[in-house]
Amino acid sequence: MIAQKINATHALENQRMALTLQQQTSILQLMLAMFKTAPGASNLMFLGSLLQSGQSLASLAQSLTESSLFFDRQYAAYLKPDEFAVKFVHDLVGDRVSISDKSLVVDYLTHRMIAGATQGELIAELMSTLSPIPASNLNWGKAASHHNTRNATKVVTHLLGSTFTPANIAVVVDYMLAQMAAGKTFGEMIVWAIDTVIGVDHDNVVWGKAAVLFNNRIEVSKYYSVDKAGTAIDRAALRQILAKVTVDNETVAAAKMTIDHLLCNDSGLSTDAVDDFQFDKILVIKKNKVLPMPQGAAKRTELMV
């Protein structure tokens, strides 16, 4: 067992060396912006390998926005197809579409799941369909607008934290939504938001503190994922550590000490494989072949176009 762990550690170290510094940094920044956490060594290497294979950071961000992880809802595996469909559709659109439209989509998802689609596949499929719908769409526009606003607000809040007032955060969100309405993808706007924060001078009156905060959190994320090669996937613990990092450099040192303590005592960072924060399992969904839509359900997708 010890030999296996040593070999696994060496393998991760060799893979990290294969990533460029820019690739490492891009993944650390993307994880912090989208999930407010560190990726850990395993996720870092998997996501970095996608960049190495030629995928752009914006494309990777877009794939992640359509995943169950970014939606941040978990559904019990024992749910029957119709039970899952009802819960998921309600969580996604609430009361922003008509009962009849919701029923048609619930019926479509139920048939897809009976035909073999997984919860993760259906979450990715419906979110990728909903997001591009214009706000002017009579059936689904209000739901799409709410969905995109919620997602953009999540990312901007992760990036800016308490350095921006809610009103100023809303201004940035509105700009992102306007760009998406003009044809940009959400993934492209996430990369824009990251580049904007890291590109400003730390003395900038408006964005300076946000840049310092982001850099400090990236330093802690790197310490765990790269320097310590931490492979735990306990998002809650990692988020808690990063949440205590502020613009004060002393909080960076304190966070590193916390990580050292948890890793040394193995008392706070779970390596339980059932945790969902494993991107090699989540993003493979995007590669799966979409199952054919059941006969008689063709009109259902027309409601969301």
Side-chain angles (χ1 to χ4, degrees):
M1 180 64 73
I2 295 178
Q4 290 177 342
K5 288 185 176 181
I6 293 175
N7 290 335
T9 300
H10 287 167
L12 284 172
E13 289 176 351
N14 291 334
Q15 288 177 314
R16 285 201 309 278
M17 291 176 63
L19 292 180
T20 66
L21 178 60
Q22 182 57 58
Q23 289 168 338
Q24 283 187 359
T25 303
S26 293
I27 297 302
L28 294 172
Q29 292 170 342
L30 190 62
M31 290 297 97
L32 186 54
M34 296 189 67
F35 302 100
K36 200 177 179 180
T37 190
S42 298
N43 283 330
L44 176 65
M45 292 316 309
F46 172 73
L47 296 173
S49 71
L50 298 181
L51 297 183
Q52 285 183 317
S53 67
Q55 185 170 3
S56 69
L57 187 62
S59 174
L60 176 56
Q62 185 64 34
S63 294
L64 291 171
T65 66
E66 298 165 3
S67 70
S68 57
L69 273 179
F70 188 67
F71 188 52
D72 207 15
R73 297 286 195 282
Q74 294 187 39
Y75 300 95
Y78 61 74
L79 288 176
K80 296 178 181 178
D82 59 331
E83 293 173 336
F84 161 73
V86 168
K87 287 180 179 293
F88 169 48
V89 173
H90 177 74
D91 288 344
L92 185 62
V93 304
D95 298 323
R96 296 171 186 85
V97 299
S98 69
I99 294 176
S100 60
D101 283 351
K102 285 178 67 174
S103 296
L104 286 171
V105 173
V106 166
D107 187 39
Y108 168 68
L109 295 179
T110 300
H111 280 83
R112 289 271 283 112
M113 200 166 185
I114 291 174
T118 65
Q119 290 181 0
E121 287 173 332
L122 295 178
I123 289 172
E125 180 180 339
L126 194 56
M127 290 203 301
S128 64
T129 302
L130 180 63
S131 183
I133 294 176
S136 59
N137 183 283
L138 295 179
N139 292 325
W140 292 88
K142 186 180 294 185
S145 179
H146 173 76
H147 176 65
N148 290 330
T149 301
R150 177 176 55 192
N151 287 346
T153 301
K154 180 190 301 185
V155 168
V156 174
T157 302
H158 288 172
L159 280 170
L160 305 180
S162 60
T163 66
F164 267 44
T165 65
N168 286 337
I169 285 177
V171 171
V172 181
V173 169
D174 287 343
Y175 175 79
M176 292 176 67
L177 295 175
Q179 292 298 305
M180 291 168 64
K184 295 287 187 179
T185 67
F186 186 35
E188 289 173 326
M189 295 315 300
I190 292 174
V191 174
W192 167 83
I194 293 172
D195 289 343
T196 299
V197 172
I198 65 176
V200 299
D201 188 274
H202 289 184
D203 294 328
N204 184 285
V205 176
V206 179
W207 292 85
K209 287 186 177 180
V212 173
L213 174 65
F214 191 60
N215 286 346
N216 283 352
R217 288 178 172 171
I218 289 298
E219 183 177 342
V220 174
S221 177
K222 176 180 177 295
Y223 183 75
Y224 172 74
S225 303
V226 179
D227 300 342
K228 292 297 182 178
T231 57
I233 50 179
D234 189 337
R235 257 191 305 174
L238 292 172
R239 278 179 169 176
Q240 186 176 19
I241 292 170
L242 286 172
K244 295 179 180 179
V245 178
T246 69
V247 296
D248 186 346
N249 288 335
E250 291 185 1
T251 63
V252 174
K256 290 179 179 180
M257 289 180 62
T258 300
I259 289 173
D260 288 341
H261 174 74
L262 293 175
L263 291 176
C264 180
N265 292 280
D266 197 25
S267 59
L269 294 175
S270 170
T271 56
D272 189 350
V274 302
D275 191 286
D276 69 339
F277 201 61
Q278 296 174 283
F279 291 101
D280 57 336
K281 296 181 180 180
I282 295 298
L283 289 186
V284 71
I285 289 172
K286 304 297 293 181
K287 300 178 182 179
N288 289 343
K289 182 178 181 181
V290 176
L291 299 176
M293 185 162 46
Q295 291 295 320
K299 292 184 178 179
R300 292 177 178 83
T301 55
E302 295 175 4
L303 294 171
M304 300 184 70
V305 176

